[in-house]
Amino acid sequence: MSDHAFDGRERARVERREFLRMGAAGAAAALTPRRVGAAVPGTSAVALEEATVADLQRRMTEGALSSAALTEAYLERIRALDRQGPSLRSVIETNPDAPAIAASLDQERKERGPRGPLHGVPVLLKDNVDTADRTTTTAGSRALAGSVAPRDAFVARRLREAGAVLLGKANLSEWANIRSTRSSSGWSARGGQCRNPYALDRNPCGSSSGSAVAVSANLCALAVGTETDGSIVCPSSANGIVGIKPTLGLVSRQGIIPIAHSQDTAGPMARTVRDAALMLGVLAGVDPGDAATAEGRGRADYTEGLDRAALRGARIGVHRKAFGFHRDVDRVLEGALDVLRREGAVLVDPADVPHAGEYDESQLEVLLYELKADLAAYFASLGPRAPVKTLADVIAFNDAHRAEEMPYFGQELFLQAEAKGPLTDQAYLDALARNRRLSRTEGIDAVMDQHRLDAIVAPTGGPAWLTDLVNGDHFGGGSSTAPAVAGYPNLSVPAGHVFGLPIGLSFFGRAWSEGALIRLAYAFEQATSVRRPPRYLPTADLGAP
């Protein structure tokens, strides 16, 4: 029978069944290791587990796959792996309109061709990114349950314009992990405790926990995360994916539930550097609704110039003070440094970032001041339908719903933020100025000028810790704070494993240096190819290297 003889619905069902054979069938046996890159039965495509955007676009261009079938396959995979099976709890809700959106994009492809590389590709958004559709935006809190934004966030609009299918909302550390000093990353009152797919008793890190887990477990092709300090790069490292925290102002903050406007930014999370770069090119842009983007570079194709040989002659500093917190992380990272040398990079070791660790307290001071003011501004943007109007309202809601909202940890950081004054307070202004001076001109810029560096590398973090709802998180170490406080770009790429748990290598540098960092990270990724898909083990594989 020819393709033209198929009824549209029947064809979609056939395509979906064929696509599910790529990997969703493995969800029923989720503890069974799968071969990366195995040929799909009856096709020449790679397995769903590691399918890239290019793989998916090629199949859609060839007519072997439709966006409708692809979207339904991911939705079934979410049902099998996230809601059942290993119960990853990485997705808070799916978009009921996603199948119809995908079908309309298929029709558009037939009539006019694809809009670009993301046409028909399903994407998850962290549940602090506004979407004016039938999904809610709640930061994982029951205080915002049922809240539907009056308009799309800038990044959601960009994705829609690019032809992406907004698949739903990813779980996160509630309120992006700014509520308590004793929180468990990946826990929210709406989504429960998100789980690391490499070892289910381990933590996925946060706050973009669900975005990272969903990408790693192939519940979506790409995801949007947000970061204030570490919330993109840490979960990317812990879940074996690529995450890019852009320069503040490259991506608009409009329509994103905030912590602090001086550090917040959205960014892409993907399984490969190329896919993350593709997505960054879509997310970036000047937005009249966010003054910080006026200083940005607007749209760019960050996949241009990706070269396997990009490390040759690059001068890379080693932030050696970020090492030493874990013997086996050092072993993995020393191996990564050897790869950089072998690929022709000139390493300056050490090239420590001056003043790192000296502004931890003043960073928190700034975040608390801005949290109170920025949340009030966000709630006002929701209009009269906003279920809460101020941080004080959220605190009162949590107190009134303590059993649901605070069964494991409290809201002491919220209380500290509520006690802060306005953003005209001298204490706030002094802390902000100090942070920027120490992290920028006397920090990252200073060491890069001194050694004429193209980038700085450091361990992104340690192996995922055991989730502990009694005591909270057990961070080992990391390197996200200097670029986070500076508002400079930071990219984490898989570097290896410790007892089967992923470890990331961070590349960070000056403002607006995303292109250079992406090229260097791509060359490293191509030279190593260390990412392994997760096996959903009940606990860490202590027999693994």
Side-chain angles (χ1 to χ4, degrees):
M1 184 181 292
S2 70
D3 286 346
H4 299 293
F6 278 102
D7 173 78
R9 289 184 181 175
E10 179 60 26
R11 180 170 184 173
R13 281 195 290 268
V14 170
E15 286 176 337
R16 181 169 61 82
R17 282 199 306 269
E18 179 183 348
F19 190 76
L20 285 171
R21 291 168 64 191
M22 295 184 188
L31 302 185
T32 302
R34 287 182 289 277
R35 184 160 56 94
V36 179
V40 180
T43 76
S44 59
V46 297
L48 170 61
E49 280 77 2
E50 298 303 286
T52 65
V53 170
D55 295 328
L56 300 175
Q57 282 297 342
R58 176 177 53 78
R59 285 184 54 76
M60 287 190 282
T61 298
E62 292 171 348
L65 178 67
S66 67
S67 178
L70 176 62
T71 298
E72 185 55 37
Y74 279 126
L75 290 172
E76 289 207 12
R77 192 170 174 87
I78 288 169
R79 286 190 285 270
L81 282 174
D82 209 64
R83 312 288 169 80
Q84 304 167 25
S87 187
L88 298 174
R89 299 176 190 153
S90 67
V91 181
I92 281 185
E93 61 182 296
T94 55
N95 182 1
D97 297 322
I101 293 168
S104 69
L105 288 166
D106 286 332
Q107 188 63 33
E108 181 180 323
R109 180 188 293 271
K110 291 177 183 177
E111 294 175 354
R112 297 193 294 275
R115 302 183 192 182
L118 296 193
H119 188 107
V121 174
V123 176
L124 280 168
L125 292 84
K126 187 175 178 180
D127 185 39
N128 60 354
V129 179
D130 283 351
T131 52
D133 54 22
R134 289 200 286 165
T135 58
T136 60
T137 307
T138 70
S141 172
R142 294 178 184 271
L144 286 176
S147 178
V148 176
R151 64 192 68 83
D152 278 343
F154 182 85
V155 297
R157 187 166 74 249
R158 279 283 207 228
L159 288 166
R160 289 194 205 271
E161 291 169 352
V165 177
L166 302 191
L167 195 60
K169 297 294 178 68
N171 198 5
L172 72 165
S173 309
E174 186 173 314
W175 296 108
N177 236 357
I178 192 64
R179 202 187 81 185
S180 173
T181 58
R182 204 172 50 75
S183 62
S184 174
S185 288
W187 184 90
S188 72
R190 286 195 65 219
Q193 178 62 57
C194 187
R195 306 167 82 186
N196 191 304
Y198 289 86
L200 298 174
D201 61 351
R202 297 269 162 175
N203 196 272
C205 198
S207 63
S208 303
S209 318
S211 297
V213 170
V215 167
S216 188
N218 288 273
L219 307 184
C220 58
L222 302 163
V224 174
T226 66
E227 175 163 328
T228 306
D229 183 351
S231 288
I232 289 175
V233 295
C234 182
S236 294
S237 174
N239 294 280
I241 66 168
V242 176
I244 302 176
K245 196 283 288 188
T247 303
L248 188 74
L250 184 68
V251 176
S252 172
R253 299 161 296 180
Q254 178 270 319
I256 298 176
I257 298 176
I259 289 180
H261 62 266
S262 65
Q263 292 183 208
D264 290 352
T265 182
M269 304 176 82
R271 289 181 293 275
T272 69
V273 172
R274 181 180 289 276
D275 281 359
L278 272 175
M279 192 179 192
L280 182 60
V282 170
L283 299 181
V286 176
D287 175 16
D290 184 350
T293 63
E295 302 177 23
R297 301 299 192 260
R299 283 185 183 268
D301 182 355
Y302 291 99
T303 64
E304 284 186 357
L306 292 185
D307 182 358
R308 172 72 169 71
L311 285 164
R312 291 179 189 167
R315 292 182 61 82
I316 298 178
V318 179
H319 182 35
R320 183 57 67 174
K321 286 184 179 178
F323 289 65
F325 62 88
H326 193 291
R327 176 199 66 182
D328 291 318
V329 172
D330 285 352
R331 170 184 56 80
V332 169
L333 267 292
E334 291 300 338
L337 297 182
D338 287 342
V339 171
L340 297 177
R341 293 187 190 96
R342 187 185 72 217
E343 295 298 311
V346 177
L347 296 192
V348 179
D349 185 3
D352 289 315
V353 178
H355 305 294
E358 294 180 19
Y359 37 84
D360 292 351
E361 291 184 9
S362 53
Q363 177 192 205
L364 180 59
E365 180 86 345
V366 168
L367 300 189
L368 294 176
Y369 266 100
E370 293 186 3
L371 173 68
K372 181 180 179 180
D374 292 355
L375 276 181
Y378 171 78
F379 296 147
S381 76
L382 298 178
R385 296 181 298 176
V388 287
K389 309 292 185 184
T390 65
L391 176 59
D393 291 346
V394 178
I395 292 170
F397 179 94
N398 291 342
D399 281 334
H401 300 84
R402 183 171 293 270
E404 297 86 5
E405 276 292 341
M406 298 192 291
Y408 307 117
F409 51 88
Q411 56 180 342
E412 51 274 15
L413 289 179
F414 272 8
L415 294 171
Q416 291 176 37
E418 178 58 26
K420 297 297 182 186
L423 299 185
T424 53
D425 276 6
Q426 197 61 44
Y428 163 74
L429 296 173
D430 288 348
L432 181 63
R434 180 178 188 274
N435 292 350
R436 288 176 170 170
R437 172 173 55 83
L438 294 181
S439 65
R440 293 178 181 178
T441 54
E442 297 180 19
I444 292 173
D445 292 338
V447 70
M448 294 192 76
D449 286 343
Q450 178 185 355
H451 298 293
R452 296 175 288 111
L453 300 177
D454 297 297
I456 300 169
V457 294
T460 308
W465 58 88
L466 287 167
T467 293
D468 185 351
L469 292 169
V470 175
N471 297 300
D473 289 337
H474 305 287
F475 287 103
S479 57
S480 65
T481 297
V485 173
Y488 288 1
N490 190 3
L491 185 159
S492 182
V493 62
H497 300 82
V498 172
F499 297 113
L501 302 171
I503 300 296
L505 174 68
S506 279
F507 289 79
F508 60 93
R510 304 176 188 276
W512 318 115
S513 64
E514 283 83 357
L517 300 181
I518 287 168
R519 288 190 293 273
L520 296 173
Y522 174 81
F524 173 79
E525 174 192 60
Q526 297 302 300
T528 53
S529 299
V530 296
R531 173 175 154 77
R532 307 170 190 163
R535 295 188 292 160
Y536 317 102
L537 299 177
T539 193
D541 183 358
L542 299 184

